[in-house]
Amino acid sequence: MSVKRLPDGRYKVRWRDSLGSNRGKTFPVGRLKEAREYERARLWDRDHGGDGFPNSNKTLLEVGLEFREKVIETKQPKTQTLYRWLWNSLIVDQLGPRPINRIKVGEIEDWLLELNTGDEAKRKAASLLSQVFKFAMKRDYCNANPASLADRPSAP
């Protein structure tokens, strides 16, 4: 990890995630202290079992509730109903209590295989889960979207 000053005066914190990819977060001019605090928080979390994210203790359930407030509520009523059904009946019971940054691709594939529903519902549930992971990445709760990499049932 490192904090570097960019030519335009901003600061950039750089690190490698658990998958080995280079990551970075930029801070505005004059926010060196904030950048260093972010770096320290990520180092502490990484050293204590997380993937280096200050918010890594968030469970999928907690992120899902936040996702519902910010995203699902803006969708059409039929979509809201579908997403709530998928979330409540297929996702939350098995994956909800797990920390979001510790869910891996293999676990999602196993979960999809164990679902006792049709292929269409499995595809839609995996798609919703991928949206939740994308939302979590934007909020720095995790650094990868394993749901987007997981094999899904093929469309007819």
Side-chain angles (χ1 to χ4, degrees), residues 126-150:
S127 175
L128 175 60
L129 189 58
S130 182
Q131 290 179 51
V132 173
F133 272 102
K134 185 177 177 183
F135 176 82
M137 287 173 63
K138 290 179 181 179
R139 300 271 191 281
D140 275 345
Y141 300 149
C142 65
N143 62 351
N145 184 348
S148 67
L149 300 173

Side-chain angles (χ1 to χ4, degrees), residues 67-68 71-92 124-125 127-129 131-132:
F67 176 78
R68 183 178 66 195
V71 178
I72 293 178
E73 300 299 329
T74 65
K75 305 284 185 190
Q76 295 295 319
K78 284 181 79 173
T79 305
Q80 288 182 22
T81 303
L82 172 66
Y83 282 4
R84 283 192 191 109
W85 178 80
L86 291 168
W87 180 259
N88 293 329
S89 62
L90 302 179
I91 299 172
V92 77
K124 288 183 179 186
S127 175
L128 175 60
L129 189 58
Q131 290 179 51
V132 173

Side-chain angles (χ1 to χ4, degrees), residues 5 8 16 25-26 32 45 54 68 79 95-96 105 112 116 121 126 128 139 146 150:
R5 185 181 173 131
D8 61 1
R16 282 189 188 269
K25 182 171 180 172
T26 307
L32 176 61
D45 186 61
R68 183 178 66 195
T79 305
L95 299 174
V105 177
L112 284 170
N116 196 11
L128 175 60
R139 300 271 191 281

